[in-house]
Amino acid sequence: MSSREVVVLSVGGVRFVTRASTLQQFPESRLARMVNDNDREFKLVNGEFFVDRDGALFSYIMDFLRTLQVSLPTDFSDYQRLQREAEFYGLYPLADLLSQEHLLKPRLEILEVRFSLQEMQAFFRIFGSCSTTIEALAEQITVFTGHQSGQGWNSPFPSQNPLVPLPLERPSHHDMVFPCGTEYSAGDQFVARYVSIKPDKRKLINGTNVLGLLLDTLLKDGFHLISTRTVASEEKVECYTFERMKRAAGLAIVVNQTPGSSGVAQARRSQVQKGK
């Protein structure tokens, strides 16, 4: 059996097809012994190994064996049952990671956008409970500045003069500040500040338009608008509050084969940052 390339398992009536080498990732596990015909509890029926366990939970076991990472849905709640399944199969490194439930659970993330409109200028300040989200958003937003003649707030297009990108103001790791619009410089000269938010390629000068694009960008990124309020009516400061469930950092197992270890996998934990 150890030389067979493809192995078929029927776990609780759910059929899985995988490579023998995948099941042998951890040579001390029962799945590895099953492939090597060293575990009699797993019965071979019509060329398939029959396993009287939970088939739905085994799909997460297979994902772990294929990727060596624990990646669970945001609404997953059966940590103890999955840990018990991992222990049954002898996958103790996985069971150890699942015991750290607090590291695997998704976290609620809050983001707040403050928008202030003053004459021909608009000012934005974005606060976030997750600094990595603010960092990623700062990479998407670019402010350009340039001089224009006789053009003000109502000019939607950049002038022919070259525009210079400006760095965003970062009061802390959890917030950013940037302006847009125009202000008088000298004579009929205006200082114009345009805002671009990737992947949109437009350079917008109207604060209301920038606000609309920013809110749309956040909604597409999985945030949900939960409240709007006026913070300071005299200064016309509006506040938009968003939330989303942020997937927790995935936990990974790194398997090292060392000389003299008789092929036994040695595992250590490391955290791997997942995507949104």
Side-chain angles (χ1 to χ4, degrees):
M1 286 297 302
S2 59
S3 61
R4 179 173 292 182
E5 180 71 14
V6 176
V7 177
V8 181
L9 301 92
S10 177
V11 184
V14 183
R15 192 169 183 266
F16 296 88
V17 181
T18 186
R19 293 177 180 272
S21 57
T22 300
L23 299 174
Q24 293 169 321
Q25 286 277 19
F26 297 88
E28 295 296 306
S29 71
R30 296 188 68 182
L31 292 172
R33 297 202 304 269
M34 175 194 73
V35 173
N36 295 326
D37 264 348
N38 291 329
D39 195 314
R40 296 181 179 180
E41 184 170 340
F42 297 102
K43 303 296 183 181
L44 190 62
V45 180
N46 296 326
E48 299 182 4
F49 283 103
F50 174 74
V51 186
D52 191 17
R53 302 294 292 191
D54 191 306
L57 291 178
F58 190 74
S59 64
Y60 301 116
I61 300 284
M62 285 303 308
D63 182 66
F64 169 75
L65 291 174
R66 287 166 175 151
T67 66
L68 298 182
Q69 294 185 17
V70 183
S71 181
L72 302 172
T74 56
D75 59 349
F76 186 82
S77 60
D78 288 337
Y79 292 94
Q80 291 184 348
R81 291 183 60 216
L82 184 56
Q83 181 181 351
R84 187 168 64 243
E85 293 299 294
E87 291 172 347
F88 170 80
Y89 292 110
L91 296 170
Y92 297 108
L94 173 58
D96 180 48
L97 294 185
L98 290 168
S99 68
Q100 303 178 70
E101 186 177 330
H102 65 286
L103 297 178
L104 293 168
K105 282 187 173 181
R107 299 177 181 178
L108 182 64
E109 181 179 359
I110 302 295
L111 190 139
E112 184 178 277
V113 176
R114 294 196 176 190
F115 171 65
S116 174
L117 188 61
Q118 300 175 11
E119 296 182 351
M120 294 188 297
Q121 292 189 85
F123 299 90
F124 294 84
R125 186 161 192 171
I126 304 176
F127 302 85
S129 60
C130 180
S131 61
T132 55
T133 296
I134 296 297
E135 291 288 347
L137 193 57
E139 293 180 359
Q140 290 180 257
I141 299 174
T142 306
V143 177
F144 299 90
T145 185
H147 287 82
Q148 295 184 357
S149 298
Q151 294 182 5
W153 180 267
N154 293 323
S155 176
F157 304 107
S159 67
Q160 297 301 318
N161 298 325
L163 298 179
V164 179
L166 289 177
L168 301 180
E169 185 181 344
R170 295 294 307 278
S172 74
H173 293 296
H174 289 272
D175 62 339
M176 73 175 81
V177 179
F178 62 92
C180 71
T182 60
E183 62 180 338
Y184 289 108
S185 176
D188 64 345
Q189 291 289 314
F190 290 90
V191 175
R193 294 184 179 89
Y194 297 86
V195 174
S196 178
I197 305 177
K198 298 176 182 177
D200 195 293
K201 297 181 180 180
R202 292 174 295 171
K203 294 181 177 65
L204 303 176
I205 194 172
N206 185 290
T208 303
N209 292 341
V210 174
L211 176 64
L213 178 58
L214 176 60
L215 301 186
D216 185 59
T217 300
L218 294 174
L219 292 172
K220 289 180 178 178
D221 203 27
F223 281 97
H224 302 280
L225 180 64
I226 59 173
S227 72
T228 60
R229 70 184 191 276
T230 300
V231 179
S233 57
E234 295 180 357
E235 299 177 1
K236 299 181 180 178
V237 179
E238 299 175 357
C239 179
Y240 300 80
T241 304
F242 294 81
E243 70 176 20
R244 73 173 174 183
M245 293 303 295
K246 180 177 174 61
R247 184 181 294 274
L251 293 181
I253 288 289
V254 179
V255 180
N256 296 322
Q257 297 289 349
T258 58
S261 64
S262 301
V264 177
Q266 297 181 346
R268 63 180 175 86
R269 289 195 304 273
S270 65
Q271 288 197 12
V272 179
Q273 184 66 40
K274 302 293 288 183
K276 309 174 184 172

